[in-house]
Amino acid sequence: TQLLEQSPQFLSIQEGENLTVYCNSSSVFSSLQWYRQEPGEGPVLLVTVVTGGEVKKLKRLTFQFGDARKDSSLHITAAQPGDTGLYLCAPLYNFNKFYFGSGTKLNVKP
Amino acid sequence: NAGVTQTPKFQVLKTGQSMTLQCAQDMNHNSMYWYRQDPGMGLRLIYYSASEGTTDKGEVPNGYNVSRLNKREFSLRLESAAPSQTSVYFCASSEMHAGGPEQFFGPGTRLTVL
């Protein structure tokens, strides 16, 4: 089992604030995915990062894969209530299997 | 397209009872997965099927069996339910992309074992 840590576990902010959540491991991964899960639903894929140092943007969300491919971050600019949810990182540790972190639970208050 | 569907949505069992969770996908994906999600934890892989007729154990397979009935359907069976199996169960299917498989998840089955 890979040791995977997501931080912070919980985050409660006001609408309009910026935030960053982190996903760290001691292992090197070939790629890593970020998912968002809303209450009562299954996770939905946001992005896949593959190359060390890669940065991808999805509207107000910016994803970065660490140079050594051991860590990743998700930055949200001007958070909105619709961003509320559980953010999960999932490194690929086998050809087609992912290991999911425990997630960051984000609450954006209007 | 319905995507990934799961039945039932909710289930309450007594210790020792058995049941089968059903999952079907209409996206013609080869790979299918069963995960469980417990409070404060991420999703843990129970079983995985790379294609029709093949299955592999994941992180937490004990107490579960699976059947890949055909390309569309992948069922999860609890032969003798235990309170430790109280959880939310998610089925997923995937297609390959450049960075790896893109997984599509069902809405989940919420199981309580008393």
Side-chain angles (χ1 to χ4, degrees), chain B:
Chain B
N1 285 350
V4 180
T5 57
Q6 292 183 237
T7 55
K9 284 187 166 47
F10 300 93
Q11 183 71 49
V12 178
L13 293 177
K14 293 181 180 178
T15 296
Q17 287 186 315
S18 62
M19 79 159 295
T20 300
L21 281 63
Q22 306 287 352
C23 173
Q25 52 95 7
D26 62 1
M27 296 173 282
N28 203 37
H29 290 167
N30 284 316
S31 298
M32 296 186 74
Y33 311 75
W34 275 105
Y35 293 91
R36 59 178 288 174
Q37 185 175 35
D38 301 301
M41 300 184 74
L43 284 80
R44 292 184 291 170
L45 182 65
I46 305 172
Y47 268 95
Y48 156 73
S49 172
S51 61
E52 184 180 349
T54 68
T55 60
D56 283 308
K57 294 179 181 179
E59 281 180 83
V60 289
N62 291 345
Y64 305 95
N65 286 302
V66 290
S67 295
R68 184 72 183 270
L69 304 168
N70 47 55
K71 193 170 186 179
R72 288 187 66 247
E73 298 171 290
F74 189 36
S75 62
L76 179 71
R77 182 158 178 86
L78 286 69
E79 290 291 352
S80 179
S84 61
Q85 294 178 303
T86 292
S87 189
V88 182
Y89 291 84
F90 287 100
C91 176
S93 67
S94 71
E95 61 180 7
M96 286 304 295
H97 285 270
E102 178 177 351
Q103 295 184 84
F104 295 83
F105 284 84
T109 293
R110 282 143 189 82
L111 175 67
T112 300
V113 183
L114 302 174

